[in-house]
Amino acid sequence: MRGAIIHAPGDVRVEERPDPELVEPTDAVIEVTATCVCGSDLWPYRGIEDVHGPAPMGHEYVGVVREVGSDVSTLQEGDFVVGSFFASDNTCEICLAGYQSRCVDARPMGAIGTQAQFARIPLADGTLVATPGMPDDDLIPGLLAASDVLGTGWFGASAAEVGPRKTVAVVGDGAVGLLAVLAARQLGAERIIAMSRHDDRQTLAREFGATDIVSERGEAGAARIRELTNGLGAHSVVEAVGTQESMMQAIRSTRPGGHVGYVGVSHGVQLPGDELFFSEVHLHGGPAPVRRFLPRLIDLILSRQIDPGKVFDLDLPLDRAADGYRAMDERRAIKALLRP
Amino acid sequence: MRGAIIHAPGDVRVEERPDPELVEPTDAVIEVTATCVCGSDLWPYRGIEDVHGPAPMGHEYVGVVREVGSDVSTLQEGDFVVGSFFASDNTCEICLAGYQSRCVDARPMGAIGTQAQFARIPLADGTLVATPGMPDDDLIPGLLAASDVLGTGWFGASAAEVGPRKTVAVVGDGAVGLLAVLAARQLGAERIIAMSRHDDRQTLAREFGATDIVSERGEAGAARIRELTNGLGAHSVVEAVGTQESMMQAIRSTRPGGHVGYVGVSHGVQLPGDELFFSEVHLHGGPAPVRRFLPRLIDLILSRQIDPGKVFDLDLPLDRAADGYRAMDERRAIKALLRP
């Protein structure tokens, strides 16, 4: 089959890879309908994370079940399924508490590489959620977004305890930040401040429900949020970048007793304990347990109540994956969808 | 009046200080019935925090109202009152959300210095809670504990989301840690693991409700907690020390999705963002909004359901404050009560 391989920073190629096979009786093999390039894929692409290549790439996917192992009981050949970037058993104590991304048996899908024609999905019963019937073509991008960026933005909003009567600020205007805006809207936030300095992303943020835009960043950005909130700070702040600057911007934008939900994969961040202590905020985040949210997200998408697929502003055949990486790296695209 | 003054690290003296007077119409002046030495007083005493002396000391107090300003409406001369280490209006948006220690008009009582015969209490209506009538003498230590260490331990347990069916670990066996054990018991925890290596403190921890004692600390301590919890970590961990080691011990003792409540005043702590991210814990803490809990705590004490006064294992006249500091510094006492 064809699949994307990273050889070195900046060097992603689509090549022949072995067809996946069932390995464990809890596995399924799916034919990938759509996959995409993640903001976090840019860390190795940019050489900020070490590349131990050649290595397969991709951890977002929707597809059709082609084969199931003997222990798989909830899925059948032909089912259209959505999964997430960690395979999880969905039965352990941690999964049952809603933290499937930290399942005691969690398997990172990035190591399998879903930017490919087919993919082996471990722990298929726990990991995959089947849609009722085959979804309309135009809903594929939305369902693919649920696989990671929507689920991650939703977790960020949820970790930030977004809800009615609350003012929410979102740090980061990538796909996750934009979809955190959408999540905040769905979760009933009264006011949603998107922090963005790019016209096209501001437009999409407004479409997703942002009521205010703040273009300042860092300390100036936090000061602006406090200005907009009677000097107190927002009730809920979603951090969707992962740098020292963005984390401090998020913490300093939050009122005492408020909540920071952080979902940007942390790179080189050191949080000063004394400032955190006196800030008196709640901090929660990490790799999103997308599986917790998938049934609700799929339902919202299929019933056309939300359209998260709008974050895909580039649609390419899988063979042009390298162009997708390049466009996102150069910020010419918010997010690139790849069709095998 | 007589009052404690710090001149330099290790040098606390009880000297003549001016009698306090009403300054603002929202002030009260109280005659201090009992006050005490706080673990956080040891930071300047040990020279770890700068001493800008001579400076008054003390921020814990119970006493009798002697004078009220013209705007004070809920208190009268002769009322027995309990307050906390931040004066707060208890009417602003932050106070109403339960974060009185970060009141928009918060005043640190440490700057006033309650290790003295009398004290001016700003924002008296918001800050002080009067007991119904004069409490029995033997309840004075418990009520004094409510002023800070009990309220702080309670906030730690509350920030760690302690509750029924949960396993709780407490890092730190000072008065706050021990009272976090008591709070965890009151809040219905199923299992309470006190981390302590001192016999007398272990005994008190068990009396307050600890079901297990772990004497290892640091990484070994965290490993022991995971061992006791099926490899997962505790649901709720209270951190009551404030050092790098104790914070990391707390985070590493907590299961994914679990809660760390941290109340040890942070000194020199830097939290590694990547480890925090992948730990997937909730983190919340800071200076305890004791005022939020005071009515409930006072009720539990007056009805003799809890006896937090047991943390005072040294009872001295105010004039011997220096002996109290020394005994706590040398760990000969858990907490020293001072009687003006």
Side-chain angles (χ1 to χ4, degrees), chain B residues 71-86:
Chain B
D71 284 359
V72 175
S73 62
T74 62
L75 300 163
Q76 297 178 25
E77 206 193 312
D79 282 349
F80 187 91
V81 290
V82 186
S84 183
F85 53 87
F86 273 109

Side-chain angles (χ1 to χ4, degrees), chain A residues 86 93-94 97 99 101-102 104 155 159 161 230 232 235 247 255-258 262-274 276-289, chain B residues 86 93-94 97 99 101-102 104 155 159 161 230 232 235 247 255-258 262-274 276-289:
Chain A
F86 273 109
E93 212 174 314
I94 302 296
Y99 287 89
S101 47
R102 288 295 314 274
V104 296
F155 174 57
E161 298 283 336
N230 283 326
L232 301 178
H235 298 93
M247 277 301 282
R255 66 179 56 196
Y262 64 106
V263 289
V265 182
S266 192
H267 282 79
V269 173
Q270 290 282 338
L271 298 181
D274 53 349
L276 197 62
F277 184 82
F278 289 103
S279 76
E280 202 121 28
V281 301
H282 298 73
L283 208 59
H284 182 43
Chain B
F86 273 109
E93 210 175 316
I94 302 297
Y99 287 89
S101 47
R102 289 295 312 275
V104 297
F155 174 56
E161 297 283 337
N230 283 328
L232 301 178
H235 298 92
M247 279 300 283
R255 68 179 54 198
Y262 64 107
V263 290
V265 181
S266 191
H267 281 80
V269 174
Q270 291 282 337
L271 297 181
D274 52 350
L276 197 62
F277 184 82
F278 289 103
S279 77
E280 201 119 28
V281 301
H282 298 74
L283 209 59
H284 182 45

Side-chain angles (χ1 to χ4, degrees), chain A residues 135-143 301 304 306-310 339:
Chain A
D136 293 341
D137 274 353
D138 68 320
L139 295 178
I140 299 295
L143 292 166
I301 294 162
R304 298 183 183 270
I306 59 173
D307 187 4
K310 285 183 186 167
R339 296 184 192 262

Side-chain angles (χ1 to χ4, degrees), chain B residues 12-37:
Chain B
V12 171
R13 305 176 212 161
V14 175
E15 301 174 345
E16 276 303 313
R17 288 179 49 197
D19 285 339
E21 290 176 358
L22 299 175
V23 177
E24 295 172 274
T26 47
D27 286 349
V29 169
I30 66 165
E31 182 171 355
V32 176
T33 305
T35 178
C36 49
V37 183

Side-chain angles (χ1 to χ4, degrees), chain A residues 258-336:
Chain A
H259 294 77
V260 177
Y262 64 106
V263 289
V265 182
S266 192
H267 282 79
V269 173
Q270 290 282 338
L271 298 181
D274 53 349
E275 179 169 347
L276 197 62
F277 184 82
F278 289 103
S279 76
E280 202 121 28
V281 301
H282 298 73
L283 208 59
H284 182 43
V290 174
R291 179 63 183 81
R292 187 204 306 177
F293 307 107
L294 272 183
R296 178 174 182 181
L297 301 182
I298 290 172
D299 183 59
L300 287 170
I301 294 162
L302 293 181
S303 61
R304 298 183 183 270
Q305 292 176 69
I306 59 173
D307 187 4
K310 285 183 186 167
V311 293
F312 294 104
D313 52 355
L314 185 62
D315 194 321
L316 297 170
L318 173 64
D319 276 333
R320 289 187 53 200
D323 294 337
Y325 277 82
R326 205 168 306 120
M328 283 178 62
D329 178 38
E330 295 167 3
R331 289 184 182 277
R332 284 182 287 111
I334 298 175
K335 196 163 175 72

Side-chain angles (χ1 to χ4, degrees), chain A residues 53-181:
Chain A
M57 290 294 289
H59 52 261
E60 298 156 288
Y61 56 97
V62 293
V64 177
V65 174
R66 289 299 173 221
E67 208 180 346
V68 295
S70 55
D71 284 359
V72 174
S73 62
T74 62
L75 300 163
Q76 298 178 24
E77 208 193 309
D79 282 350
F80 187 91
V81 290
V82 186
S84 184
F85 53 88
F86 273 109
S88 53
D89 62 25
N90 213 26
T91 57
C92 75
E93 212 174 314
I94 302 296
C95 280
L96 292 178
Y99 287 89
Q100 291 91 340
S101 47
R102 288 295 314 274
C103 170
V104 296
D105 196 15
R107 322 275 182 96
M109 291 301 300
I112 286 174
T114 63
Q115 290 164 7
Q117 286 182 286
F118 295 89
R120 179 175 76 88
I121 313 292
L123 306 168
D125 276 336
T127 305
L128 298 173
V129 178
T131 57
M134 204 56 62
D136 293 341
D137 274 353
D138 68 320
L139 295 178
I140 299 295
L143 292 166
L144 176 62
S147 175
D148 180 352
V149 281
L150 173 60
T152 296
W154 200 281
F155 174 57
S158 160
E161 298 283 336
V162 167
R165 291 178 304 285
K166 290 200 179 177
T167 294
V168 181
V170 177
V171 179
D173 62 1
V176 171
L178 293 168
L179 290 169
V181 168

